[in-house]
């Protein structure tokens, strides 16, 4: 797949934006501006950005807690996201849901997730099923984790996707751990993608730290879905580079494993490719990073200045 | 125009009426298409509407309700049939955590209906007789309705399908074929959600009830009328939202309250109604708030056990006599 330099610049921007926002959010948490839990997506940038970029404007996406990049690509601005983290009324859920949970906006084709994993999986299959019933050439995409793949609902939803041959792209982010639980306590097989065959649709394994591989696999799956050929399961192998959530020092993760995955950092690899193609140098990179830092400064200021929701509205919106 | 039909036929009539009116409405469930449903509620609908609107699904309640939410996001209106209300627990998470909270959390409505044939009296044992309404009444974001008449079976289901919120529609298996009644046609028969109905007016005591127990209460009221007592029977019809005004009005009128439901007593809808009355109508009470409900056990199978478990007109009448004498 030949990708234009404009497209690559965009992808670069989104991955760097996701990473910088992630890093900065940790600082905001330390400053006490973000209270409660917080999830890092460090190491998942190629997956969330690469997959989201494979969708068309009318497609829908249901990201999970490692997919900050996907929300950004689909149009949640850093301002709305930081305000969400701060629990402000200008945040995506207007202070109703915590951290990156509940960041849905149907006008952007985004469905927010609930904690019960993988609850977004059947919802995504349902959206895809709806597109099929209505004869609309649209695709629904979602993400779930290696741990979530052990839930019974995963089986129900994958089977349903197959039975109704729906235009869904199901992405499993295999990041080696589910909270503290390593893969070998989660399953006795090598590849989660192998399970797709048992449902009757293709499963592919890709290097989740290679933007190009993720984007290619996702694009092919989106094309298949749009052509009416049904769902695809894409397993992206990666590593959760920070604790499960901010409170977790992940003492249970062997140091060497992290070192090994640090060598495969998705952004470093992507930038290396850009440099090889003559599309990036040190000056361009620092220019980009300055721009992104400024964008996040602005988002943080916006969130700082945004009011908290009025407690008087606590009961509002339970019903339409 | 009024038509005579069974409670079950009224449900089918509402489904067909809404499907004809609005092409976005579709049905999903296990064995609902070719077979017509475990109770034949959807019989004939596949022929009229085709397999894209009457969808036979795999056995997967948790997925089914999640899929329904997804369809709702893309402008469809799915009506899910849970084969027996007892299996709604298999779909619980998709209902209470996803569908029910969505509008509050990020503003997208989830217009789905979950139909669940509930209740006992049919010798069906612990897993085909349950009344799970209290779980859902406790869940913010849901509406919970339970019709007692064919007219309401039709009228409330139409309202549920038109409601932009997730609605749990509990239908009484006991009344499916045992109850016939005249049922309005067209738009005349649309029953609003959240409005209770007085089924019998009286002055001495109020029975507040819903679902199949409305009929047991009416029988008990008839018996007591012969003994000279005038009982009022209030059919709640909607458990969430509750028609608090209708409840307080009947309490103010009779000063004596007997709450009746088929579900087991502990942490039940009856407890909530009693609390509401105690809080807001204490000065009107002329006796303890009493309850007739099933004991706190699973629903037993054997006929003598189930008869001891399930409230009926005799037990309601006995409790009413006790309260009248207070
Ligand atoms: C049904 C359910 N059970 C338990 C939890 C608590 N929990 C939150 S995240 C998590 C681990 C998820 O692991 P995985 O699916 O691999 O995603 P990851 O966080 O590794 O990206 C657990 C157990 C949950 N969210 N949902
Ligand atoms: Mg994981």
């Amino acid at each position: 797949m030949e990708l234009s330099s404009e497209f690559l610049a965009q992808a670069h921007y989104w991955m760097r934006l996701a990473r910088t926002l992630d890093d900065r959010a940790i600082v905001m948490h330390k400053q006490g501006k973000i209270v409660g839990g917080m999830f890092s997506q460090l190491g998942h940038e190629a997956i969330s950005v690469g997959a989201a970029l494979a969708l068309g404007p009318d497609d829908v996406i249901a990201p999970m807690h490692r997919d900050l990049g996907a929300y950004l690509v689909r149009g949640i601005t850093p301002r709305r996201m930081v305000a969400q983290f701060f629990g402000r009324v200008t945040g995506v859920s207007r202070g109703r849901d915590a951290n990156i949970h509940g960041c849905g906006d149907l006008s952007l084709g985004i469905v927010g997730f609930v904690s019960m994993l993988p609850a977004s999986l059947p919802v995504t299959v349902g959206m895809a099923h709806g597109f099929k019933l209505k004869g609309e050439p649209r695709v629904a995409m979602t993400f779930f984790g290696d741990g979530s793949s052990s839930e019974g609902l995963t089986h129900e939803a994958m089977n349903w996707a197959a039975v109704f041959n729906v235009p869904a792209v199901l992405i499993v982010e295999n990041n080696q751990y589910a909270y503290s639980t390593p893969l070998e306590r989660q399953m006795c097989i090598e590849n989660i993608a192998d399970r797709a065959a048992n449902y009757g649709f293709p499963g592919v394994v890709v290097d989740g730290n290679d933007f190009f591989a993720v984007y290619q696999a996702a694009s092919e799956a989106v094309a298949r879905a749009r052509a009416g050929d049904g769902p695809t399961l894409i397993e992206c192998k990666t590593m959760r580079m920070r604790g499960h959530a901010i409170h977790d020092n992940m003492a249970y993760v062997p140091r060497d494993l992290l070192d090994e995955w640090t060598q495969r950092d998705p952004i470093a690899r992507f930038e290396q490719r850009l440099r090889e193609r003559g599309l990036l140098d040190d000056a361009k990179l620092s220019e980009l990073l300055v721009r992104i830092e400024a964008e996040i400064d602005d988002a943080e200021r916006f969130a700082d200045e945004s009011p908290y929701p009025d407690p008087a509205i606590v009961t509002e919106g339970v019903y339409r | 125009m009024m038509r005579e039909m069974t409670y079950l036929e009224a449900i089918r009539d509402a489904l067909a009426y809404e499907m004809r009116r609005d092409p976005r409405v579709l049905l999903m469930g296990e064995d609902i298409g070719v077979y017509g449903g475990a109770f034949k509620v959807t019989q004939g609908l596949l022929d009229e509407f085709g397999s894209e609107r009457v969808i036979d699904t795999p056995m997967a309640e948790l997925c089914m309700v999640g899929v329904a939410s997804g369809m709702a996001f893309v402008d469809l209106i799915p009506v899910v049939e849970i084969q027996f209300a007892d299996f709604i627990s298999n779909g619980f998470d998709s209902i209470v955590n996803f569908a029910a909270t969505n509008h509050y959390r990020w503003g997208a409505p989830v217009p789905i209906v979950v139909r669940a044939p509930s209740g006992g009296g049919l010798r069906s044992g612990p897993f085909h007789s349950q009344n799970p309404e209290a779980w859902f009444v406790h869940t913010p974001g849901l509406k919970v309705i339970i019709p007692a008449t064919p007219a309401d079976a039709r009228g409330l289901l139409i309202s549920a399908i038109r409601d932009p919120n997730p609605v749990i529609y509990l239908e009484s298996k006991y009344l499916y074929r045992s109850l016939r009644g005249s049922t309005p046609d067209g738009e005349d028969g649309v029953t609003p959600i959240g409005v209770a109905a007085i089924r019998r007016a009286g002055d001495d005591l109020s029975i507040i009830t819903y679902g199949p127990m409305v009929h047991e209460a009416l029988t008990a009221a008839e018996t007591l009328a012969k003994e000279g007592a005038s009982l009022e029977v209030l059919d709640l019809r909607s458990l969430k939202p509750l028609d608090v005004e209708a409840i307080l009005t009947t309490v103010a009128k009779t000063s004596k309250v007997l709450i009746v439901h088929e579900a087991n007593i502990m942490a039940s809808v009856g407890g909530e109604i009693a609390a509401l009355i105690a809080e807001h109508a204490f000065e009107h009470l002329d006796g303890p708030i009493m309850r007739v409900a099933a004991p706190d056990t699973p629903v037993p199978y054997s006929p003598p056990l189930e008869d001891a478990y399930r409230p009926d007109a005799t037990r309601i009448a006995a409790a009413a006599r006790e309260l009248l004498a207070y």
Side-chain angles (χ1 to χ4, degrees):
Chain A
M1 204 182 303
E2 199 48 48
L3 300 171
S4 73
S5 50
E6 294 75 34
F7 176 85
L8 292 174
Q10 273 299 310
H12 187 210
Y13 165 74
W14 292 122
M15 286 196 284
R16 274 294 182 185
L17 181 64
R19 175 161 299 183
T20 309
L21 179 50
D22 196 273
D23 290 343
R24 289 279 300 269
I26 288 171
V27 177
M28 297 173 202
H29 194 278
K30 288 197 176 117
Q31 292 170 332
K33 292 185 180 187
I34 299 175
V35 294
M38 214 203 87
F39 295 93
S40 168
Q41 51 85 65
L42 185 66
H44 291 244
E45 295 87 352
I47 302 170
S48 64
V49 172
L53 283 174
L55 291 175
D58 294 330
D59 296 334
V60 292
I61 193 165
M64 65 165 203
H65 54 293
R66 309 280 175 218
D67 301 318
L68 181 58
Y71 293 99
L72 297 170
V73 169
R74 292 296 298 195
I76 304 272
T77 60
R79 282 183 166 203
R80 282 181 86 195
M81 195 52 100
V82 177
Q84 163 77 15
F85 292 164
F86 287 12
R88 304 302 164 113
V89 74
T90 47
V92 190
S93 76
R94 299 154 18 260
R96 301 305 172 94
D97 211 339
N99 52 67
I100 202 166
H101 288 69
C103 285
D105 184 337
L106 282 189
S107 72
L108 301 173
I110 304 174
V111 167
F113 74 99
V114 295
S115 282
M116 293 68 205
L117 299 168
S120 287
L121 194 44
V123 175
T124 302
V125 169
M127 291 190 288
H129 198 158
F131 294 150
K132 182 170 176 179
L133 292 173
K134 295 166 83 176
E136 295 177 359
R138 298 164 69 188
V139 175
M141 173 185 279
T142 194
F143 304 80
F144 59 107
D146 45 283
S148 311
S149 77
S150 300
E151 292 276 352
L153 182 53
T154 305
H155 164 70
E156 289 191 21
M158 300 243 275
N159 184 55
W160 190 297
V163 167
F164 294 101
N165 203 39
V166 303
V169 178
L170 314 176
I171 297 180
V172 55
E173 303 186 59
N174 182 344
N175 60 8
Q176 317 300 317
Y177 285 86
Y179 206 150
S180 73
T181 307
L183 284 180
E184 63 271 21
R185 284 295 178 103
Q186 204 68 247
M187 64 197 74
C188 295
I189 55 173
E190 180 74 24
N191 299 313
I192 299 166
D194 293 348
R195 292 191 180 146
N198 294 326
Y199 296 102
F201 58 86
V204 295
V205 177
V206 301
D207 177 348
N209 286 18
D210 177 353
F211 171 85
F212 297 92
V214 174
Y215 179 72
Q216 167 113 20
S219 299
E220 284 167 16
V222 168
R224 269 196 71 216
R226 217 183 296 287
D229 295 331
T232 306
L233 177 64
I234 301 172
E235 177 179 3
C236 299
K237 306 271 195 194
T238 187
M239 177 68 195
R240 195 192 71 208
M241 297 302 289
R242 289 197 175 106
H244 170 62
I246 199 151
H247 66 277
D248 172 22
N249 69 7
M250 61 172 180
Y252 49 84
V253 176
R255 197 64 243 174
D256 323 349
L257 187 62
L258 283 171
D259 292 345
E260 189 188 317
W261 281 94
T262 303
Q263 298 307 310
R264 297 184 214 157
D265 180 74
I267 295 184
R269 284 167 66 188
F270 183 79
E271 289 175 349
Q272 183 55 34
R273 292 277 288 272
L274 293 191
R275 284 174 195 269
E276 283 161 13
R277 284 181 57 174
L279 298 173
L280 186 71
D281 56 28
D282 291 349
K284 276 188 177 152
L285 179 58
S286 58
E287 191 187 309
L288 175 70
L289 294 180
V290 167
R291 176 154 71 90
I292 286 173
E293 291 286 353
E295 203 176 340
I296 294 168
D297 287 342
D298 167 74
E300 185 173 358
R301 210 175 307 117
F302 171 80
D304 276 331
E305 288 165 5
S306 289
Y308 281 104
D310 180 350
I313 66 156
V314 67
T315 59
E316 255 174 40
V318 178
Y319 295 92
R320 165 71 161 237
Chain B
M1 200 185 76
M2 302 291 277
R3 294 162 302 159
E4 274 288 306
M5 60 178 82
T6 63
Y7 183 98
L8 181 145
E9 287 162 346
I11 296 169
R12 183 189 299 142
D13 193 70
L15 294 172
Y17 183 73
E18 285 302 280
M19 291 176 84
R20 282 175 206 133
R21 188 187 61 81
D22 186 344
R24 297 173 305 166
V25 179
L26 60 87
L27 313 183
M28 282 195 292
E30 294 157 14
D31 311 294
I32 66 163
V34 177
Y35 188 67
F39 296 96
K40 304 291 180 195
V41 172
T42 52
Q43 193 160 47
L45 299 183
L46 177 67
D47 291 341
E48 180 174 350
F49 299 103
S51 61
E52 299 209 323
R53 295 185 68 198
V54 182
I55 303 172
D56 274 321
T57 72
M59 264 178 78
E61 292 78 10
L62 188 59
C63 186
M64 201 184 304
V65 179
V67 162
S69 295
M71 288 178 170
F73 287 150
V74 301
D75 202 29
L76 293 169
I77 302 177
V79 181
V80 168
E81 176 177 303
I82 302 290
Q83 199 159 66
F84 287 80
D86 311 66
F87 302 111
I88 205 166
S89 48
N90 295 70
F92 196 64
D93 185 59
S94 293
I95 298 172
V96 304
N97 280 317
F98 195 93
T101 64
N102 210 78
H103 189 263
Y104 186 74
R105 293 182 306 111
W106 56 275
V110 184
I112 65 172
V113 179
V114 179
R115 288 180 40 235
S118 64
L122 300 169
R123 315 317 190 196
S124 303
F127 305 112
H128 293 76
S129 308
Q130 294 174 23
N131 291 286
E133 60 267 24
W135 297 341
F136 302 108
V137 171
H138 193 63
T139 302
L142 298 179
K143 294 190 177 182
V144 183
I145 54 184
I146 171 159
T149 66
D152 279 350
R154 179 180 184 280
L156 283 171
L157 184 50
I158 292 173
S159 289
I161 292 170
R162 295 179 188 180
D163 198 288
N165 300 289
V167 180
I168 308 296
Y169 177 90
L170 295 166
E171 50 199 58
S172 167
K173 300 198 291 290
Y174 190 84
L175 300 180
Y176 267 159
R177 292 185 167 77
S178 66
L179 186 67
R180 294 182 71 81
S182 74
T183 305
D185 214 358
E187 292 297 306
D188 292 342
V190 181
T191 313
I193 294 175
V195 183
I198 292 176
R199 296 298 179 195
R200 180 185 175 110
D203 299 314
D204 301 334
L205 181 151
S206 300
I207 300 180
I208 300 175
T209 185
Y210 57 88
M213 288 297 126
V214 167
H215 304 283
E216 301 296 329
L218 288 171
T219 306
E222 193 61 42
T223 305
L224 285 166
K226 292 186 192 117
E227 299 171 18
S230 162
L231 269 59
E232 180 146 300
V233 176
L234 183 71
D235 172 6
L236 292 170
R237 306 204 279 195
S238 162
L239 304 181
K240 193 180 184 84
L242 263 180
D243 188 345
V244 178
E245 202 186 313
I247 293 170
L248 299 181
T249 303
T250 190
V251 175
K253 183 179 176 193
T254 68
S255 302
K256 291 194 168 169
V257 186
L258 176 60
I259 300 164
V260 178
H261 52 66
E262 186 183 330
N264 55 310
I265 194 158
M266 185 67 188
S268 62
V269 173
E272 181 62 30
I273 295 167
L276 278 169
I277 294 170
E279 264 181 276
H280 302 294
F282 186 73
E283 68 277 15
H284 290 294
L285 288 173
D286 188 22
I289 301 167
M290 287 181 64
R291 288 190 283 167
V292 173
D296 215 22
T297 73
V299 188
Y301 161 68
S302 179
L305 289 180
E306 189 178 27
D307 291 344
Y309 171 90
R310 191 170 184 265
D312 61 10
T314 310
R315 278 166 58 193
I316 296 168
R321 281 188 201 99
E322 190 185 330
L323 183 54
L324 285 164
Y326 181 86

